[in-house]
Amino acid sequence: MSERTTPLTLRQLIDEPSLRLGVVQSGGGSEVIRSAHSIEIEDAARWLSPGSLMLTTGLRFADKPHDTRPQERLITELQDAGVVALLFGIGVHFAEVPQGLRDAARARQFPLLTVAADTPFATIEDFVNRGVLAAETYLLKRTVWLQNDLLQSLSAADPVSSLVARLGALCRGTAVLYEGSGRIAASTGHGPLLLMWEEIAARDTSPQRFSVGQWAVTTRPLFLRGTSFWLAIASRSSTVIGDLGPDLLETAERILAAANAVRSLVMSQERAEAVRVISALRQGITTSQIRQTWDRLRPFRFRVGTGLRVVVASPLPGRSDPVDTAQLLEDAQLENLPIVMSDTEDAENPTIGVTAVVAEGAVATAWLEELGRTHLVGVSGPFSDLTVAPQYFNEADTAWKLVQRRRERSADTTIVRLDEVDFAAWLLIRRDDAQVAARLDRTFGALLSAPDLVETIVTYLANDQDVKRTAELLFIHPNTVRYRLRNVEHLVGGSITSAQVVANLYLVFQDDILAHIGR
């Protein structure tokens, strides 16, 4: 017998001339045979598994050959147990198959075959076992080959896209990975992707098999990194989908899980190293450590001498949903932004949730703008000398304090870059607030107790001392503005046109003025 590469069926067994089997009652012929067993005992069906053949010489019926009840019961029990067929050996206890077996087999359309007296049962069992083994060996080889082919995607720069492309090639059609929302995460081929998703969404969450026009589709739900996905393959050949589909999807799911585990491990190691690098830069490195530190930065895409900025950020006040810092880092990596980031709590300021060093450039600017949608962000000026990094960490902290102060005064800004801040703002943010508050109360207490005057002077200074514009914004007459300004002059003891008075008032109300400008 030649090596069989497909499952052994009942029709192939009947057609094998060397076995010399006779047909008393045929079945569909396509039933798959998985084993063959010679049994002569009572309750034979309980010892047989679905897909098996039972071979018997009728010994159990020999003492009562005309009692049809046990013969009918045997056929019923075999069919209920999923046995493929009964093979009856003639010429031992019976010259032909007992009539009770014949009638029961015909009544239930159960396959009943005869085995010639000179055909040993062992020959049939050996034929079946060799055929089953050959088919299973072929399936095992095919599975290993498919796994090896798909496993190569793990070495690709983008394992998910590579895996989906290989799936599409293997099924000679289309492969697609959907997110739980229906958004396509990766795809290949030209199948009806939208219609496929509509079918998936309309069905339950178990693996599915359906058709979309001329396309045969099979799908599998996945759950990776806390997110649900659907993996689907489609082909114009339903045979390919029926034959390869389950193996392809099962293997792909395992590879995606492995890729996810590897990626999680790598990301965990990278994040731990990033925390160590940031800590070293914050504490300060010596000249002798510069080369080693750049070597540590290289895996994070930094080049020696790259301009750097330090970033510190905290979630926007009032946010109810937690910020996914892992997603922030992933977004930066997808944009190829050189970045080392730590989301460990700052010992000096626990409210800070993110500390990072990024490479200066347009990509960093875009990422910072995105970060500013969910965070208050302080950014240092640019530097490239690693030995001076500690002072730029201080700059980022100062910028963060400044953006926080401005936010408290209802400014819309969420990002402050310290190199873009004027000298007065920089000076004020470094003051001792306790001493300043005491002096402020002694010098400007009377003015601060008059809200209409404070509103007027803040608006006036925020609009370049333009009386007309101030009046328009406050919805009052310009003469009212002038009247209020004279009251301010009286309280501060100087002319509003004096540079000294303007400077003092600007310093007192700078946060409010900047907040007004930022609206």
Side-chain angles (χ1 to χ4, degrees), residues 64 80 93 108 122 135 185 306 341 358 384 393 400 420 436 453 499:
K64 295 181 179 180
D80 292 344
H93 300 291
R108 298 184 68 96
T306 299
M341 189 179 91
V358 299
S384 57
F393 276 88
W400 176 81
E420 298 175 3
V436 169
L453 298 185

Side-chain angles (χ1 to χ4, degrees), residues 411-422:
D412 292 333
T413 183
T414 59
I415 303 175
V416 167
R417 297 171 175 83
L418 202 65
D419 55 323
E420 298 175 3
V421 170
D422 61 26

Side-chain angles (χ1 to χ4, degrees), residues 61 64-65 67-75 98-101:
F61 310 126
K64 295 181 179 180
D67 186 353
T68 61
R69 288 175 299 176
Q71 300 172 19
E72 293 171 354
R73 187 168 62 252
L74 174 63
I75 296 296
Q99 191 62 45
L101 288 177

Side-chain angles (χ1 to χ4, degrees), residues 100-112:
L101 288 177
R102 292 172 178 267
D103 293 341
R106 290 193 179 102
R108 298 184 68 96
Q109 297 291 301
F110 183 77
L112 176 59

Side-chain angles (χ1 to χ4, degrees), residues 31-37 45-53 77-85:
E31 298 90 340
V32 174
I33 301 171
R34 304 195 180 279
S35 60
H37 307 278
R46 62 178 296 200
W47 303 104
L48 297 172
S49 59
S52 60
L53 297 176
E77 291 172 351
L78 292 178
Q79 189 170 52
D80 292 344
V83 174
V84 173

Side-chain angles (χ1 to χ4, degrees), residues 235-435:
S235 175
R236 294 182 185 275
S237 171
S238 60
T239 302
V240 169
I241 291 298
D243 185 32
L244 292 180
D247 285 343
L248 286 176
L249 292 182
E250 182 178 0
T251 301
E253 179 181 15
R254 293 176 179 175
I255 291 174
L256 285 172
N260 179 54
V262 170
R263 181 174 172 59
S264 296
L265 176 61
V266 171
M267 288 183 66
S268 176
Q269 293 174 327
E270 287 182 349
R271 292 175 72 176
E273 173 63 3
V275 171
R276 291 191 289 267
V277 170
I278 286 176
S279 178
L281 290 172
R282 182 185 280 277
Q283 293 175 11
I285 65 170
T286 64
T287 303
S288 62
Q289 294 173 315
I290 291 178
R291 181 173 180 179
Q292 175 190 0
T293 305
W294 278 115
D295 287 342
R296 294 177 69 182
L297 288 169
R298 186 174 293 111
F300 298 94
R301 302 187 182 91
F302 289 92
R303 294 183 179 181
V304 176
T306 299
L308 308 174
R309 285 184 184 266
V310 179
V311 179
V312 295
S314 62
L316 285 173
R319 283 186 62 93
S320 58
D321 55 319
V323 178
D324 188 351
T325 53
Q327 187 62 51
L328 290 172
L329 181 59
E330 185 170 343
D331 291 343
Q333 292 172 337
L334 289 174
E335 296 299 326
N336 292 316
L337 172 64
I339 180 174
V340 285
M341 189 179 91
S342 168
D343 58 0
T344 58
E345 187 177 280
D346 189 301
E348 297 182 2
N349 194 336
T351 60
I352 292 178
V354 173
T355 303
V357 175
V358 299
E360 172 82 334
V363 177
T365 299
W367 183 76
L368 287 171
E369 292 297 327
E370 191 63 29
L371 180 62
R373 297 179 185 275
T374 55
H375 287 71
L376 294 179
V377 185
V379 187
S380 75
F383 68 101
S384 57
D385 181 359
L386 299 184
T387 62
V388 299
Q391 74 183 59
Y392 287 91
F393 276 88
N394 290 335
E395 278 199 3
D397 291 337
T398 299
W400 176 81
K401 292 175 183 176
L402 184 55
V403 73
Q404 187 181 46
R405 289 170 63 93
R406 292 179 179 178
R407 191 73 179 186
E408 289 171 354
R409 286 161 174 78
S410 302
D412 292 333
T413 183
T414 59
I415 303 175
V416 167
R417 297 171 175 83
L418 202 65
D419 55 323
E420 298 175 3
V421 170
D422 61 26
F423 180 74
W426 175 84
L427 187 64
L428 286 171
I429 199 65
R430 300 172 65 85
R431 69 197 181 193
D432 184 327
D433 284 345
Q435 292 182 0

